[in-house]
C-alpha cells in the first residue's frame, strides 16, 4: 500500500514537472519565431546541398529599404530612416544594401521603363527592387507626432514596416510600431530625428529575424525563377522541355502557353547561372538546340527558342 502511494505520488510529481517544463518552453519557442506568420517551412526533404544553399542564401540576403510612396515624413527624415536601417544591416549583420540616393535617382530615370515593362501592375519601388536584384524589399511607413510641452521639444514616431518578396511582389509580413517620446533641447526637428532613429534601431532586430523566418517559409521549394521563351510553335516540344527540366530542379509549373510565347516558373536551390545551364541542357534534349538567352534580370530569364 505504501509502495503504491509512493508510486502514485512520484508519478504525480513527474507529471507536474513535465507540465512546468512544457509551459516554460512555450514563450521561448514563440520568441524564436520572430513573430512570423504561417506554419514553419518543411525542409526535412532537402538534400544536404540544398540545405547548405538555403542557409547560405538566408545568411546573405540583399536588402532594399525605402519609404512608402506618399510617405508622411519630410525628405530629411525619410533619408534618415533608410540610412539608419541600412547602417544596422551593414554594421550589425554585414549584409548588402541598396543606397538611398541610388534609389532616388532611379525613381526619376526609370519611370518610362517601369510603365513599359509592368504597366503599373506593381509599384515603382518594387520594380526597382527587382532591378537591383534585392532579395528583400522593406517599406517604411512612419509618421512623427509633435508632443512638445512645457517648453521642451518632444516627438514620437509610429507606423509600420512592410516586408515584400520582390520576385513575386507579394507582401510577406508587416510590423506595427508605436514609439516612446524622444527629446531634444534644441528644436523639434532634432527631436523628430531622434524619434525616427530610435524607432528604426528598435525595430531592426525583430524585422531581420522575421524576414529570415518568412523567407525560409516562402522558399520551401527553392528560389522561384521566371522563364520566358519566345517563339514556341510546337506545344509537344515545350511539353518535353518542361518535363525534362522538371527532372533537374525541384518543380516546374507552366504559367501560360501560346505559339508566340511560353512562360514557366522554375523552383530550384541554385543560382541563376546554374538555372541557365539546366535550361540549355533540357532544351537540347527536347529538340531546341538553338535556344538562346536574350537577357536576364534578377530571377527572370528570357530566351529565344530558335524554332521557326
Amino acid at each position: 500500500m505504501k509502495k503504491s502511494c509512493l508510486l502514485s505520488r512520484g508519478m504525480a510529481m513527474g507529471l507536474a514537472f513535465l507540465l512546468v517544463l512544457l509551459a516554460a518552453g512555450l514563450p521561448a519557442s514563440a520568441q524564436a519565431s520572430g513573430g512570423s506568420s504561417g506554419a514553419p517551412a518543411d525542409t526535412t526533404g532537402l538534400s544536404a546541398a540544398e540545405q547548405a544553399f538555403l542557409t547560405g542564401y538566408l545568411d546573405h540576403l540583399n536588402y532594399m529599404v525605402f519609404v512608402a510612396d506618399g510617405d508622411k515624413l519630410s525628405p530629411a527624415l525619410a533619408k534618415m530612416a533608410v540610412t539608419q536601417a541600412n547602417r544596422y544591416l551593414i554594421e550589425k549583420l554585414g549584409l548588402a544594401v541598396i543606397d538611398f540616393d541610388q534609389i532616388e535617382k532611379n525613381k526619376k530615370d526609370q519611370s518610362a521603363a517601369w510603365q513599359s515593362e509592368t504597366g503599373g501592375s506593381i509599384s515603382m519601388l518594387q520594380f526597382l527592387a527587382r532591378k537591383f536584384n534585392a532579395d528583400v524589399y522593406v517599406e517604411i511607413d512612419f509618421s512623427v507626432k509633435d508632443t512638445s510641452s512645457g517648453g521642451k521639444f518632444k516627438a514620437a514616431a509610429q507606423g509600420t514596416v512592410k516586408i515584400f518578396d520582390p520576385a513575386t511582389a507579394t507582401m510577406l509580413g508587416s510590423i506595427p510600431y508605436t514609439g516612446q517620446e524622444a527629446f531634444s533641447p534644441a528644436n523639434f526637428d532634432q527631436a523628430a530625428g531622434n524619434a525616427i532613429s530610435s524607432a528604426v534601431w528598435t525595430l531592426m532586430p525583430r524585422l531581420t529575424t522575421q524576414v529570415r523566418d518568412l523567407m525560409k517559409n516562402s522558399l520551401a521549394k527553392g528560389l522561384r525563377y521566371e522563364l520566358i521563351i519566345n517563339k514556341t510553335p510546337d506545344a509537344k516540344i515545350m511539353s518535353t522541355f518542361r518535363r525534362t527540366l522538371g527532372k533537374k530542379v525541384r518543380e516546374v509549373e507552366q504559367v501560360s502557353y501560346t505559339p508566340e510565347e511560353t512562360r514557366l516558373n522554375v523552383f530550384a536551390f541554385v543560382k541563376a547561372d546554374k538555372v541557365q545551364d539546366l535550361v540549355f541542357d533540357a532544351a537540347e534534349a527536347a529538340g531546341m538546340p538553338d535556344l538562346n538567352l536574350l537577357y536576364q534580370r534578377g530571377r527572370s530569364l528570357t530566351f529565344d527558342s530558335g524554332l521557326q
Side-chain angles (χ1 to χ4, degrees):
M1 187 75 167
K2 285 184 178 180
K3 187 178 291 186
S4 176
C5 290
L6 288 173
L7 182 61
S8 298
R9 187 180 300 173
M11 290 175 65
M13 290 178 64
L15 179 59
F17 182 67
L18 178 61
L19 290 173
V20 169
L21 283 179
L22 289 173
L26 286 176
S29 175
Q31 185 177 9
S33 72
S36 62
S37 59
D42 181 9
T43 58
T44 54
L46 302 186
S47 67
E50 289 172 333
Q51 287 278 12
F53 178 90
L54 179 59
T55 300
Y57 178 81
L58 293 172
D59 285 343
H60 299 91
L61 292 172
N62 184 22
Y63 278 75
M64 182 177 125
V65 182
F66 210 69
V67 291
D69 286 327
D71 188 70
K72 310 167 191 71
L73 297 178
S74 68
L77 288 178
K79 183 170 184 176
M80 175 182 288
V82 175
T83 301
Q84 291 296 326
N86 286 344
R87 182 183 157 209
Y88 179 92
L89 293 168
I90 294 169
E91 294 181 4
K92 296 291 186 180
L93 302 179
L95 297 176
V97 300
I98 292 114
D99 180 66
F100 178 93
D101 293 329
Q102 188 179 7
I103 300 169
E104 276 285 18
K105 181 179 184 300
N106 276 269
K107 280 178 67 179
K108 300 173 184 176
D109 296 346
Q110 296 292 321
S111 179
W114 166 60
Q115 283 290 348
S116 172
E117 294 184 30
T118 71
S121 60
I122 62 174
S123 73
M124 164 65 88
L125 291 171
Q126 290 181 19
F127 169 75
L128 290 178
R130 288 183 182 179
K131 174 181 170 61
F132 291 131
N133 295 331
D135 299 306
V136 184
Y137 165 50
V138 175
E139 186 176 87
I140 298 174
D141 191 2
F142 279 174
S143 62
V144 176
K145 183 179 180 181
D146 187 347
T147 58
S148 301
S149 63
K152 294 182 179 180
F153 300 104
K154 305 176 186 177
Q158 64 179 15
T160 59
V161 290
K162 297 178 180 178
I163 304 162
F164 294 89
D165 179 353
T168 61
T170 55
M171 187 175 77
L172 299 174
S174 64
I175 303 175
Y177 177 81
T178 300
Q180 297 182 341
E181 288 181 333
F183 303 85
S184 170
N187 52 55
F188 171 73
D189 288 343
Q190 192 172 90
N194 293 340
I196 287 295
S197 294
S198 175
V200 171
W201 279 81
T202 299
L203 272 173
M204 288 305 290
R206 181 181 170 193
L207 181 140
T208 51
T209 298
Q210 185 164 338
V211 163
R212 188 181 179 94
D213 290 345
L214 291 168
M215 291 297 289
K216 186 175 182 179
N217 283 346
S218 71
L219 296 174
K221 296 189 296 185
L223 299 184
R224 172 184 169 275
Y225 291 92
E226 178 188 47
L227 300 188
I228 303 170
I229 304 175
N230 296 330
K231 292 192 299 184
T232 55
D234 193 322
K236 289 183 179 180
I237 288 181
M238 296 313 300
S239 177
T240 301
F241 168 76
R242 186 184 69 250
R243 286 182 281 111
T244 303
L245 182 60
K247 296 175 183 178
K248 303 173 182 292
V249 297
R250 271 276 158 177
E251 186 175 318
V252 177
E253 61 180 26
Q254 184 166 301
V255 177
S256 63
Y257 170 82
T258 68
E260 290 75 36
E261 177 189 272
T262 296
R263 288 178 177 258
L264 305 169
N265 286 333
V266 173
F267 298 88
F269 291 95
V270 295
K271 294 182 178 180
D273 56 349
K274 179 61 175 176
V275 170
Q276 179 182 326
D277 294 341
L278 295 175
V279 167
F280 284 139
D281 291 344
E284 182 86 28
M288 292 189 294
D290 296 325
L291 179 133
N292 187 46
L293 179 66
L294 297 178
Y295 64 87
Q296 174 207 339
R297 174 174 289 169
R299 299 208 297 269
S300 178
L301 298 90
T302 301
F303 297 86
D304 182 282
S305 69
L307 300 174
Q308 301 300 321

